[in-house]
Amino acid sequence: MIYIAKPEIGDEEIHAVNQVLKSGMLSQGPKVAELEKDWAEYCGTKHALAVNSGTAAIHAALFATGIQTGDEVITTPFSFIATINPIIMLGAKPVLVDIDRETFNIDSTKIEAAITSRTKAIMPVHLYGQPADMTKIQDIANRNNLTIIEDSCQAIGAEYKGKKAGNLGSLGCFSLYATKNIMCGEGGIVTTNDDEHAKLIRQFRQHGMSGSYQYEHLGYNYRLTDLQAAIAVEQLKKVDKFTKARQDNAEFFDEHLKNVSSIVTPNPTSDRTHVYHQYTLVISDKCRFSRDEIVKKLKEQGIVAGVYYPQPLHHIEHIAKITGRHPGDFPITEELTKKVLSLPVHPMLTPEDRETIVGAIKEATGE
Ligand SMILES: *Cc1c(COP(=O)(O)O)cnc(C)c1O
């Protein structure tokens, strides 16, 4: 089977974990500090704060922004549910905006119409590893005094006009979950250039603690372990190598699938880099088979394709309830949830795997 994701764990990661075990410093210790330093340097931000998931990173970033009951945060219905749940966890309301068909990211031309007197932040998601339309989003945020929180969970290393994801707004959120471009099982990072945001996130991840058993506000236990940080430190050293392998795989698929008329291959925008967390095809109306039929046929040939995401977020009950949105409200998202399909593009693919995938797609689409 060729799986959609396969973490690459080398001797370096294993050795680093062993060292932590022998050191006895297991949580929020020197390895977490090392990871934060390296991550900030990599993204070009002043701070990086480690937490124990991407969801916690988004929750902490929203908290640091001051999001509270009654506030509104603009984001997209075409994402993983963890983009939206933390907004609801703070008692705020997600306000959804449809996506751009070409990039799968929030349609920047539709953001302004969604702004109200309660809007506090915009959270673009750099979906599949390609940054959203940041110049336009920054312009809208500046004119309306809004904070930008990037959901960069799929976009470590992606650049927009030469600047890295996580440094394109006020706060950037990353995930180190097992299937992400670099990982440590579970983990998350928030990046920021703002000292006050950094201070609030440090407190938030530790019960709101500001000094020795002094508590300034509500907080959680969102600490990362040193065992995980040790893995992430080693993975971060390899991130550019992994990204290059993903981009090479993507280029191979672009080249070998360009004549398959019933699918549309990704079409990255020239002012940004795509780190291919996913290589996502759109099955066109010309195809004789449905997306779900193609997924099934690929599986029969030993390839696990992914569907990200099979359901628009506003179709999920608790989100429909709080947003007041219904099927039909975001037609592009709704259409694409039925047509997208992601191929394995991870760095562990062999040259034979790539050939197998191309052959299987041609076979499954009947071309
Ligand atoms: C993975 C992911 C998250 C959440 O990260 P976890 O580490 O799984 O909590 C949030 N948003 C997007 C777009 C993601 O891909």
Side-chain angles (χ1 to χ4, degrees):
M1 274 291 187
I2 305 175
Y3 291 102
I4 187 76
K6 189 170 180 186
E8 186 177 325
I9 299 161
D11 291 341
E12 301 83 2
E13 283 82 349
I14 293 166
H15 177 72
V17 171
N18 281 334
Q19 292 301 104
V20 173
L21 285 170
K22 285 177 191 159
S23 79
M25 294 282 285
L26 301 190
S27 188
Q28 195 69 63
K31 274 291 166 186
V32 168
E34 186 180 339
L35 174 63
E36 292 178 332
K37 186 174 156 288
D38 294 353
W39 200 285
E41 198 172 292
Y42 184 76
C43 286
T45 55
K46 187 165 179 198
H47 304 280
L49 296 313
V51 290
N52 54 23
S53 71
T55 311
I58 295 170
H59 193 194
L62 288 161
F63 173 82
T65 304
I67 302 298
Q68 47 187 314
T69 307
D71 290 343
E72 294 179 356
V73 178
I74 293 175
T75 189
T76 139
F78 196 64
S79 185
F80 183 49
I81 194 163
T83 302
I84 286 192
N85 277 344
I87 301 171
I88 301 171
M89 284 149 66
L90 286 161
K93 179 178 167 182
V95 172
L96 304 177
V97 170
D98 210 352
I99 55 165
D100 167 54
R101 177 184 293 285
E102 295 292 320
T103 63
F104 308 99
N105 285 325
I106 193 166
D107 184 343
S108 58
T109 66
K110 293 182 179 152
I111 293 175
E112 292 216 84
I115 296 173
T116 74
S117 59
R118 287 191 283 271
T119 309
K120 290 282 156 53
I122 308 174
M123 184 154 51
V125 182
H126 306 315
L127 201 72
Y128 305 144
Q130 179 175 222
D133 225 354
M134 293 311 291
T135 301
K136 286 193 186 131
I137 294 170
Q138 281 155 358
D139 178 50
I140 295 166
N142 290 343
R143 277 189 286 109
N144 294 279
N145 198 20
L146 305 175
T147 302
I148 298 173
I149 300 165
E150 298 167 74
D151 181 340
S152 308
C153 288
Q154 302 186 355
I156 174 74
E159 291 183 3
Y160 181 91
K161 296 183 178 166
K163 250 180 149 181
K164 287 229 160 55
N167 193 17
L168 303 169
S170 290
L171 298 121
C173 306
F174 294 90
S175 167
L176 287 158
Y177 177 60
T179 62
K180 297 299 200 292
N181 285 22
I182 57 171
M183 64 92 227
C184 63
E186 298 276 4
I189 303 273
V190 187
T191 48
T192 181
N193 290 309
D194 184 298
D195 296 344
E196 185 62 21
H197 284 159
K199 187 187 105 186
L200 287 167
I201 291 164
R202 265 187 215 106
Q203 293 172 357
F204 191 69
R205 72 178 171 197
Q206 173 122 301
H207 311 289
M209 204 190 280
S210 59
S212 179
Y213 298 96
Q214 303 291 308
Y215 305 95
E216 287 208 4
H217 45 72
L218 178 68
Y220 293 78
N221 174 359
Y222 278 166
R223 291 183 306 262
L224 186 68
T225 71
D226 265 38
L227 296 162
Q228 291 163 305
I231 300 171
V233 164
E234 297 307 320
Q235 292 263 301
L236 187 60
K237 291 178 191 162
K238 304 175 186 176
V239 65
D240 289 337
K241 191 183 88 184
F242 289 168
T243 300
K244 176 79 173 49
R246 285 177 181 273
Q247 289 168 337
D248 283 349
N249 291 337
E251 202 178 308
F252 181 89
F253 293 143
D254 286 346
E255 183 58 28
H256 290 81
L257 295 175
K258 69 176 181 225
N259 295 325
V260 180
S261 65
S262 57
I263 59 172
V264 182
T265 54
N267 188 14
T269 313
S270 62
D271 57 4
R272 51 202 94 166
T273 62
H274 196 319
V275 295
Y276 293 100
H277 175 60
Q278 300 297 348
Y279 183 89
T280 302
L281 305 173
V282 178
I283 309 300
S284 87
D285 292 330
K286 279 190 279 181
C287 190
R288 284 195 279 140
F289 303 103
S290 72
R291 189 269 319 275
D292 292 343
E293 284 169 328
I294 292 173
V295 169
K296 193 159 159 272
K297 284 157 158 254
L298 289 174
K299 191 144 188 206
E300 284 160 11
Q301 298 188 67
I303 295 154
V304 182
V307 173
Y308 309 108
Y309 293 88
Q311 174 169 225
L313 292 176
H314 64 290
H315 290 195
I316 296 165
E317 197 179 337
H318 74 280
I319 294 171
K321 208 164 143 194
I322 192 160
T323 57
R325 294 308 209 149
H326 307 288
D329 284 351
F330 304 109
I332 297 170
T333 293
E334 290 167 29
E335 179 192 333
L336 289 174
T337 53
K338 299 190 191 88
K339 293 185 175 173
V340 289
L341 181 162
S342 302
L343 298 178
V345 70
H346 58 76
M348 301 289 274
L349 291 183
T350 65
E352 297 75 45
D353 290 339
R354 305 199 305 196
E355 298 282 357
T356 306
I357 291 166
V358 166
I361 276 284
K362 288 182 177 167
E363 171 118 10
T365 53
E367 291 196 37

